[in-house]
Amino acid sequence: MTREIRTRFAVVGSGAGGSVVAYHLARAGERVVVIERGRRVPTESMNADEVAMVSALYKDGGSQMNTGLDMFVLQGSCVGGTTVLTNGVCFRLPDRVRRTWARDGFELDPAQLEESYARVESVLNVQPLPERLQNSAAPRLRDGFRALGLEPRGFHKNFLHCLGCGSCNIGCRFGRKLDAAQTWIPMAESHGCEVLPDLEAVRIEHHRGHATAILCRRMSNGEPIAVRAERFVVSGGAINTPELLLRSKIAPSLAGIGTSFNAGAIAFAEYPEPLDAFEGDQMGVWYAGDGYVIEQIHNPPLSFALTLPGGMDTHRARMERYRYLTSAGVLVPTRPVGRVFLGLGHRLLPRLFNHAEIEFELPESDLASLREGFRTLARAYLASGATQVFIPFHEPAVVRSESELEDLDRRLRSQKDIANFGSSHPQGGACAGSDPKRHVCSPDLRVRGFDNLYVCDASVFPSSAEVNPQLPIMAIADYAVRSIGGFVPPLRIEEGPAHRARTQFAASAEAF
């Protein structure tokens, strides 16, 4: 027998989009239920065990791949979603991207979007990362860029009293990263929102353009649960949202089409002296080139080893030099040529093949940008004193001088030549815009043909945001509350950890 839960708003997903929408609706006095496939993992349950944390926090334990098995796609599967796993990086959507989306019919009013950014950044405590928290490889790479006449920048991050432990990608066990599980979700719950973890949304029940329920199953025991509501918001992310629409036979010819990524791979550099770059924040500096972005990142040992190129004895020898190594990722905002779909296995054996498939192959224009990005990064490393650079190709690629970069085009001819190519920034697949023949959602994020079904996550992006999308997703969710909830958000949000810290600081300063 199916248990029923009734509410006014049902939100699928507790990540960047769903958490913000749920907070605003609950704060306005609405009855809200959030459906989350992952478990709730409190900070006191987190630790530095990479294997345990990846298994607990990542979708499919971090093993989600495309159909060609030459690209990984990392997503969170826990309360707070992928925000729990980010490095805290907060970029605003580049205005050129906003204008491109506007030409496609997905227009965001600049003044209202600015207000949304202000509210979200206040809750997240978005601030420049202090140089004292950067790992020791960050200034070396910064010097290398400057030696080439290029000016790198520091990151803005959503931290509060960060300790610089360097383990952001496996959750913050100290509670210093203001992800959705530390901010929007508990804030929503304080206003009466009910979060249902360990519950998978299987299908949307609907009739004649009106959604009536989300049919779910309990992950731990298979218990069927129907969440009935007056309005529904799907915020499962750019892979799960199209999958849910396809399972529900909603927009079957459009859902999953136009998937894009910020995708790439990590290159490594070795220096003659120990860097000990594992001490400090993982990501310190970045540089934006023409069609690519370089983001310095130094992972903990397991993740570092998984992405370090080289086989057998070569890999072991390189890992033994861990103190002398550092790394950075080259990312390209890909064309929206990917697809999320339900494959033959799902249609024939849905209980066994219960995930959508991801189809993606880098077009030549994006490969050209990736080549240029690797060239620039290798030159910057060499200019900063690195003795050799390991380019992440399956064919061994060790660069010790700029002259050895001339062979890069031959070595990188297709996506399959790249070792550990992947993304943690999937976007698109339920795109918003003005064309009913191309866009799943109308510009107000309502699913076309429905009167009470909305999408609010990165799947509505008509193209890649070109930056780490956490902050744009949250700002657009804040912006979209006007259409989803029918009200204007408050001018300021005066609650949450950052607000409490500011209030306490002001009170202490006044007392002093």
Side-chain angles (χ1 to χ4, degrees), residues 94-170:
D95 199 55
R96 66 178 177 278
V97 177
R98 184 194 61 79
R99 293 194 300 269
T100 299
W101 291 358
R103 288 193 293 270
D104 215 20
F106 182 35
E107 188 165 2
L108 299 164
D109 178 81
Q112 291 184 7
L113 188 60
E114 175 64 33
E115 291 177 4
S116 291
Y117 276 124
R119 277 189 291 272
V120 170
E121 290 171 346
S122 174
V123 170
L124 299 187
N125 194 47
V126 176
Q127 303 284 343
L129 180 72
E131 287 195 15
R132 62 181 173 78
L133 291 176
Q134 294 180 2
N135 64 70
S136 59
R140 296 297 293 266
L141 184 56
R142 184 187 298 114
D143 291 345
F145 280 124
R146 288 174 175 169
L148 302 180
L150 307 175
E151 187 56 42
R153 304 181 220 176
F155 289 102
H156 283 64
K157 301 201 176 188
N158 59 314
F159 294 156
L160 182 63
H161 309 311
C162 175
L163 300 175
C165 73
S167 298
C168 288
N169 294 144
I170 52 175

Side-chain angles (χ1 to χ4, degrees), residues 6-46:
R6 294 185 179 273
T7 186
R8 171 129 163 84
F9 284 89
V11 179
V12 179
S14 64
S19 63
V20 175
V21 170
Y23 164 73
H24 278 300
L25 294 173
R27 187 184 185 280
E30 301 287 2
R31 289 179 294 114
V32 185
V33 167
V34 175
I35 300 163
E36 171 54 58
R37 185 179 190 271
R39 296 186 298 113
R40 190 188 293 268
V41 184
T43 55
E44 56 267 26
S45 297
M46 297 176 180

Side-chain angles (χ1 to χ4, degrees), residues 454-474:
Y454 296 81
V455 173
C456 193
D457 56 27
S459 67
V460 303
F461 292 4
S463 63
S464 171
E466 299 187 6
V467 295
N468 304 48
Q470 172 183 231
L471 187 63
I473 296 169
M474 290 185 177

Side-chain angles (χ1 to χ4, degrees), residues 165-189:
C165 73
S167 298
C168 288
N169 294 144
I170 52 175
C172 182
R173 63 187 184 276
F174 304 107
R176 306 301 175 89
K177 180 170 61 180
L178 298 188
D179 53 49
Q182 301 298 314
T183 55
W184 304 108
I185 290 297
M187 287 160 56
E189 290 176 315

Side-chain angles (χ1 to χ4, degrees), residues 160-276:
L160 182 63
H161 309 311
C162 175
L163 300 175
C165 73
S167 298
C168 288
N169 294 144
I170 52 175
C172 182
R173 63 187 184 276
F174 304 107
R176 306 301 175 89
K177 180 170 61 180
L178 298 188
D179 53 49
Q182 301 298 314
T183 55
W184 304 108
I185 290 297
M187 287 160 56
E189 290 176 315
S190 72
H191 291 285
C193 173
E194 183 179 7
V195 178
L196 304 177
D198 191 44
L199 192 65
E200 180 182 33
V202 177
R203 183 167 59 86
I204 301 170
E205 184 182 81
H206 57 95
H207 180 67
R208 294 185 178 180
H210 186 79
T212 57
I214 303 285
L215 305 182
C216 309
R217 71 178 182 93
R218 182 73 65 189
M219 295 294 293
S220 56
N221 58 18
E223 176 192 6
I225 297 175
V227 179
R228 301 196 176 276
E230 296 176 31
R231 290 194 181 189
F232 299 85
V233 184
V234 182
S235 301
I239 307 301
N240 300 329
T241 287
E243 176 181 358
L244 180 58
L245 296 178
L246 290 169
R247 286 176 183 270
S248 309
K249 296 181 171 53
I250 295 173
S253 63
L254 292 177
I257 303 297
T259 302
S260 60
F261 299 87
N262 294 333
I266 296 175
F268 297 76
E270 182 176 345
Y271 288 81
E273 69 283 341
L275 293 179
D276 292 339

